[in-house]
Amino acid sequence: MTFKKAQWPRPLRSAHWFGGTSRDHIYHRSWMKNQGLPADLFDGRPVIGICNTWSEMTPCNAHLRDLAQRVKHGIYEAGGLPLEFPVFSTGESALRPTAMMYRNLAAMDVEEAIRANPCDGVVLLAGCDKTTPALLMGAASTDVPSILVSGGPMLNGHWRNQAIGSGTALWQMSEMVKSGELTQADFLDAEQAMSRSPGSCNTMGTASTMASMAEALGMALSGNAAIPAVDSRRRVMAQLTGRRIVEMVKDDLKPSDILTKKAFENAIMTNGAIGGSTNAVIHLLAIAGRVGVDLSLDDWDRLGRDIPTIVNLMPSGKYLMEEFFYAGGLPVVLKSLLDGGKLHGDALTVSGKPIAAEVEHVKNWNPEVIRPVDQALTSHGGIAVLKGNLAPNGAVLKPSAASEHLMVHRGRAVVFEDIDDYKARINDENLDIDETCVMVMKNCGPRGYPGMAEVGNMGLPPKVLRKGIKDMVRISDARMSGTAYGTVVLHTSPEAAVGGPLAIVKTGDYIEIDVPNRRLHLDVSDAEIAERLLAWTPPVEKPASGYARLFHEHVQGADTGADFDFLKGCRGREVGKDSH
Ligand code: FES
């Protein structure tokens, strides 16, 4: 696509704050100068906000203030004025009930902070899972020139001479403790070895997936996704990002120029090739909603269906983000898609160039980590979208993390009414369940378990694990961590808490899953389903007040991105009435 640069020089939006001699201009400048800023920094140069999700409560983002310093260097070098500001930090590992409950809150914070402040452009500093989509959603709704730089993944986990991956090792080891293959003492010993440096999860979990999505969308510089947090090249990336945003402001290169339908299609195909997280489905739908791009679950299935997964990273494969970076990182994957005729090479990126130009000369330095297409991990990567009387609006499954022998399966349902019911009964040796059953969990969707917790990959019963069984079909309206694996049907929509058909499944019903034909069927007559739905009553009470109330009343279904209804769309960069 051709992008027409704006004329430069021209007055910028920050001139409303700093560009004159009125009382208000003096007021805005004078207070800013208490930070020791020389007068010539207010000469009409681009003012760049550094929107930082730094927080010690979000360990994956705890190093971002350091990285912001490098962004500042770059902004100064290019002739801009950097001003860093904090926004709500949605950390995955500590926030309760779930980080996802706060993604929309963070996005709202980002949007209002950008618009209300004298920002001509913004550098978005993200790391942990939800911080990347939250920043992109907020920035997209203002349409101020924006560029994202990720904090980068942690170094590989290492324990007893083995590489262990964030999250993935946790799920594996907790199952091994249950089955008796590992002692609790060993599990505790591995704790420090999983997280060896600053940075986000080192698997192809949601954080690495979303960093890759930002790059595939064109919202980050080429190569951003994979550089480890502690590699000096991460700092270089931050500095180059700082330089680039100043040019983007001069050109007026905005999110709406970059976040086109083609960009989203590129990201969906990329997600298939990297074996990315199912969480990307929800986040991309939400980001698309902010820029008015018509994206649906059907696009995910259509575009991802024939994309081979070529990135051999946990949880689908063997390696970790360090190896991915050393092999050449995401540009190699984009080049492979492009060579296969899959990518829209003309989609514009933050560099001002089309994505094809960015990856033209890259090389694959390790074909074991980034496989040639004819040696793909799985020929049908992507995300399968299943539909049927159990999920009229759709449900998702990640084939690359699932078991081949369970892709077509009919089994007796064992139903858990909610996460507490699951926790109370799963370890009961008298639970009537075996590996042919289908585990069903209800009331964990956006409204049922506020924020739609990552509990969809519910652990198997110990008595099944002891037989050496590693996987069973599991169905819920929950999400699953991007570091998790299994034949897990997620995001079943509409969710049980709003009266979706999942709400009326009973233990003993039979369920059919047919991934090749994209079918999810409850083997109960239509008349019986209608009767059960008539008798159904909502299980979740509306919270009395506060953010929980706002969330309950306005969150949308997973099939459209779980954004708030009133946050969809772009509200632009103009401020309302000036209070001075
Ligand atoms: Fe923060 Fe995985 S928990 S990136």
Side-chain angles (χ1 to χ4, degrees):
M1 111 162 230
T2 344
F3 167 70
K4 196 170 173 301
K5 292 180 184 182
Q7 250 195 336
W8 183 257
R10 66 179 191 285
L12 296 171
R13 78 187 284 272
S14 60
H16 295 298
W17 282 263
F18 304 133
T21 53
S22 72
R23 181 202 64 179
D24 288 350
H25 291 119
I26 292 168
Y27 167 60
H28 294 309
R29 279 193 306 264
S30 174
W31 263 251
M32 223 25 110
K33 284 178 175 176
N34 80 350
Q35 299 178 84
L37 300 173
D40 61 356
L41 290 182
F42 300 93
D43 59 359
R45 67 185 64 200
V47 176
I48 309 296
I50 302 175
C51 178
N52 202 340
T53 50
W54 165 84
S55 166
E56 289 177 347
M57 296 286 189
T58 304
C60 319
N61 295 18
H63 61 302
L64 293 186
R65 287 218 74 194
D66 173 54
L67 211 56
Q69 293 307 313
R70 310 305 295 204
V71 175
K72 282 183 193 175
H73 281 305
I75 293 168
Y76 277 126
E77 283 165 354
L81 168 58
L83 296 169
E84 184 185 355
F85 63 95
V87 286
F88 189 96
S89 189
T90 47
E92 196 64 38
S93 58
L95 271 185
R96 291 188 176 177
T98 158
M100 180 63 181
M101 182 168 171
Y102 304 101
R103 183 201 64 180
N104 298 345
L105 179 67
M108 200 159 30
D109 180 359
V110 171
E111 176 184 343
E112 299 303 326
I114 293 173
R115 187 182 297 112
N117 279 301
C119 300
D120 298 313
V122 187
V123 175
L124 308 167
L125 267 171
C128 197
D129 300 15
K130 309 300 175 288
T131 55
T132 299
L135 294 184
L136 289 174
M137 288 161 71
S141 281
T142 67
D143 212 22
V144 165
S146 306
I147 186 169
L148 184 134
V149 62
S150 304
M154 290 187 265
L155 293 177
N156 288 359
H158 261 284
W159 184 62
R160 298 185 179 170
N161 205 31
Q162 272 182 38
I164 54 171
S166 316
T168 304
L170 191 75
W171 316 128
Q172 283 168 343
M173 287 180 182
S174 71
E175 301 273 275
M176 287 166 81
V177 170
K178 277 198 214 169
S179 68
E181 294 168 80
L182 197 75
T183 66
Q184 184 66 28
D186 285 338
F187 195 14
L188 284 167
D189 189 48
E191 183 179 308
Q192 181 73 52
M194 291 178 196
S195 309
R196 295 173 50 232
S197 79
S200 49
C201 288
N202 52 30
T203 38
M204 187 50 83
T206 306
S208 301
T209 299
M210 289 313 298
S212 300
M213 293 298 91
E215 189 172 331
L217 283 168
M219 288 298 293
L221 288 179
S222 185
N224 167 70
I227 309 170
V230 295
D231 193 299
S232 56
R233 286 164 284 187
R234 175 56 64 193
R235 290 174 156 210
V236 173
M237 176 59 69
Q239 194 156 336
L240 295 178
T241 301
R243 289 183 191 169
R244 179 61 201 153
I245 187 65
V246 177
E247 298 309 313
M248 286 174 68
V249 169
K250 290 178 180 172
D251 296 345
D252 200 23
L253 176 54
K254 308 174 293 299
S256 59
D257 298 313
I258 297 165
L259 294 172
T260 59
K261 178 89 185 208
K262 282 184 179 179
F264 285 97
E265 292 190 343
N266 282 349
I268 290 172
M269 291 185 274
T270 304
N271 190 65
I274 63 176
S277 164
T278 45
N279 282 322
V281 178
I282 291 184
H283 299 320
L284 287 196
L285 290 170
I287 298 164
R290 297 302 187 101
V291 282
V293 165
D294 182 20
L295 197 73
S296 71
L297 274 181
D298 293 335
D299 289 314
W300 275 90
D301 199 70
R302 175 178 62 85
L303 293 157
R305 194 176 267 255
D306 296 325
I307 303 289
T309 298
I310 57 170
V311 176
N312 189 7
L313 254 62
M314 295 181 204
S316 302
K318 182 175 171 190
Y319 297 100
L320 293 167
M321 286 299 285
E322 256 188 84
E323 282 91 12
F324 185 42
F325 174 55
Y326 303 145
L330 197 74
V332 177
V333 180
L334 297 173
K335 175 86 161 45
S336 168
L337 286 167
L338 196 63
D339 292 347
K342 297 290 187 189
L343 211 70
H344 301 295
D346 60 342
L348 188 67
T349 73
V350 284
S351 70
K353 293 186 230 154
I355 200 159
E358 292 294 341
V359 301
E360 203 177 347
H361 301 298
V362 299
K363 279 208 176 97
N364 184 354
W365 301 104
N366 191 341
E368 167 59 12
V369 175
I370 306 175
R371 300 271 188 90
V373 169
D374 59 0
Q375 292 165 38
L377 258 66
T378 163
S379 52
H380 300 287
I383 301 288
V385 177
L386 311 181
K387 286 191 177 169
N389 65 355
L390 195 47
N393 295 353
V396 304
L397 175 137
K398 182 173 167 182
S400 64
S403 301
E404 195 55 46
H405 72 281
L406 293 172
M407 298 300 237
V408 179
H409 183 79
R410 183 173 191 272
R412 178 171 57 87
V414 175
V415 175
F416 304 99
E417 290 303 317
D418 54 30
I419 186 70
D420 295 327
D421 184 30
Y422 164 78
K423 285 180 180 166
R425 295 198 290 131
I426 192 63
N427 295 328
D428 182 352
E429 293 293 326
N430 294 319
L431 183 66
D432 183 14
I433 191 167
D434 63 32
E435 60 273 25
T436 65
C437 291
V438 173
M439 295 167 67
V440 175
M441 184 159 59
K442 305 175 182 176
N443 298 312
C444 292
R447 205 176 288 182
Y449 185 143
M452 201 183 172
E454 293 185 331
V455 293
N457 57 316
M458 53 193 125
L460 308 192
K463 67 179 182 184
V464 172
L465 286 169
R466 283 198 301 273
K467 290 192 221 172
I469 305 291
K470 302 280 185 215
D471 197 10
M472 286 172 64
V473 174
R474 289 157 271 179
I475 300 174
S476 73
D477 44 13
R479 293 177 301 116
M480 142 173 121
S481 164
T483 61
Y485 50 86
T487 310
V488 187
V489 179
L490 303 153
H491 310 182
T492 305
S493 301
E495 63 173 306
V498 301
L502 188 71
I504 53 83
V505 182
K506 290 184 178 170
T507 292
D509 290 344
Y510 274 80
I511 292 177
E512 292 167 23
I513 168 177
D514 181 348
V515 179
N517 289 303
R518 302 302 197 247
R519 187 162 177 265
L520 184 63
H521 182 72
L522 176 65
D523 203 357
V524 170
S525 72
D526 291 349
E528 170 77 14
I529 291 176
E531 202 174 304
R532 289 188 197 176
L533 280 171
L534 260 183
W536 174 83
T537 49
V540 187
E541 277 186 25
K542 193 185 275 195
S545 60
Y547 177 69
R549 169 78 173 232
L550 180 87
F551 187 92
H552 182 94
E553 287 182 342
H554 295 284
V555 72
Q556 301 293 286
D559 55 310
T560 58
D563 201 358
F564 290 157
D565 48 6
F566 63 90
L567 286 179
K568 286 204 162 194
C570 173
R571 285 160 285 281
R573 52 177 96 170
E574 294 309 320
V575 192
K577 287 262 180 286
D578 194 336
S579 61
H580 296 287

